[in-house]
Amino acid sequence: MMSTMNAFQSAVATGIRGVIGGILFGSVLISNGFALTPARAGVAGPLAGQHVAAVPLETFVGFYQAPDKASFVQFELKDDALFAHWQNKEYQLVRVDETHFKTKSEGHEVEFLKDGSGRFTQAMLLGNILTVKVGFNPYTVKTLSAAQLKGFEGTYRLTRDDNSFEIAIRPSANGLILKQLWDDKEIAFTPRSDTFFLDAEGTFPLTFLLREGEAVQVTCFEADVWRRTE
């Protein structure tokens, strides 16, 4: 069955982020269609006395969202060194050149990439997992006004496969309640930004598209799009 249906009907995809987190800087796993492979052996570090082009490390600091939309890597500057944080684990990064790093103990690769405007807004992990920098802390609940939350209220229909599936979303005291209309199951979400919400376990992401303050669609996980019908 489609990924969203599985996620909805299996205790909100419990453990997805935990599984991915356990292998992010580890060995081979295929999850959600992405092959995670270890970095190639023998990555060369900077030679003694070699000058490394100095893009300030502060440029790379922030939270980066993985393709599943529920997982995040944080890059933090500490004691003049860059660290990656994932699932309560910390990895020190060693600079290889201007934009390439490897984890100090494991030797796994991280490459920071520019977007079309020339800003560093992406990080490639292990050579094949593209993460995108976000402007919010995904682990901190953001307070939205009652009027903002009201803008998400409505019924949404799945836009692919069997489009008879519908969900209803309504405001709650702290965020939103999603109701699956095929089985009446309800799930609570809290906002982490103006348009991004997570459930209590942090494994079920909702990303809304707004027009003039009103939601027109919501994407669950990576690509399951539900369009607002009323």
Side-chain angles (χ1 to χ4, degrees):
M1 188 176 286
M2 69 195 100
S3 60
T4 298
M5 293 304 99
N6 287 337
F8 274 65
Q9 295 174 341
S10 61
V12 198
T14 301
I16 288 177
R17 192 173 60 160
V19 170
I20 297 174
I23 52 74
L24 176 62
F25 293 117
S27 59
V28 176
L29 179 83
I30 296 178
S31 177
N32 292 337
F34 292 89
L36 312 187
T37 58
R40 59 184 181 271
V43 177
L47 300 176
Q50 177 179 332
H51 174 70
V52 175
V55 175
L57 292 177
E58 292 88 346
T59 303
F60 309 125
V61 168
F63 290 93
Y64 292 70
Q65 190 175 38
D68 69 352
K69 305 301 183 184
S71 305
F72 294 84
V73 180
Q74 181 187 11
F75 294 101
E76 178 186 31
L77 188 60
K78 185 169 59 174
D79 298 327
D80 297 322
L82 195 63
F83 289 80
H85 297 273
W86 182 271
Q87 288 289 288
N88 299 317
K89 294 182 180 180
E90 182 177 82
Y91 303 85
Q92 185 174 351
L93 301 181
V94 177
R95 196 166 205 164
V96 176
D97 61 25
E98 184 177 31
T99 59
H100 290 78
F101 295 76
K102 61 180 179 179
T103 59
K104 184 175 182 179
S105 299
E106 303 82 5
H108 300 306
E109 296 178 66
V110 177
E111 178 186 4
F112 291 94
L113 305 171
K114 294 180 180 180
D115 61 17
S117 65
R119 297 179 302 139
F120 285 99
T121 58
Q122 301 172 326
M124 184 73 75
L125 311 180
L126 303 176
N128 63 356
I129 306 173
L130 184 64
T131 63
V132 179
K133 192 172 187 178
V134 296
F136 59 87
N137 183 338
Y139 307 116
T140 300
V141 174
K142 180 174 183 176
T143 300
L144 298 184
S145 69
Q148 285 176 295
L149 293 173
K150 184 70 173 176
F152 300 105
E153 187 172 20
T155 301
Y156 298 75
R157 180 175 296 139
L158 189 63
T159 61
R160 65 180 181 86
D161 299 318
D162 184 348
N163 63 4
S164 64
F165 286 101
E166 291 186 330
I167 57 176
I169 293 176
R170 69 179 188 274
S172 67
N174 300 313
L176 299 174
I177 301 294
L178 182 152
K179 183 177 182 179
Q180 302 173 172
L181 295 184
W182 60 90
D183 65 1
D184 293 332
K185 180 178 179 179
E186 294 189 342
I187 306 163
F189 293 83
T190 52
R192 311 305 165 95
S193 77
D194 288 347
T195 57
F196 181 76
F197 291 70
L198 281 172
D199 68 326
E201 289 76 24
T203 58
F204 194 152
L206 300 178
T207 305
F208 287 90
L209 174 64
L210 302 182
R211 290 180 185 163
E212 299 181 353
E214 294 284 326
V216 294
Q217 71 179 40
V218 60
T219 302
C220 301
F221 299 99
E222 182 183 0
D224 285 333
V225 178
W226 301 71
R227 191 157 295 135
R228 188 172 178 176
T229 61
E230 59 179 66

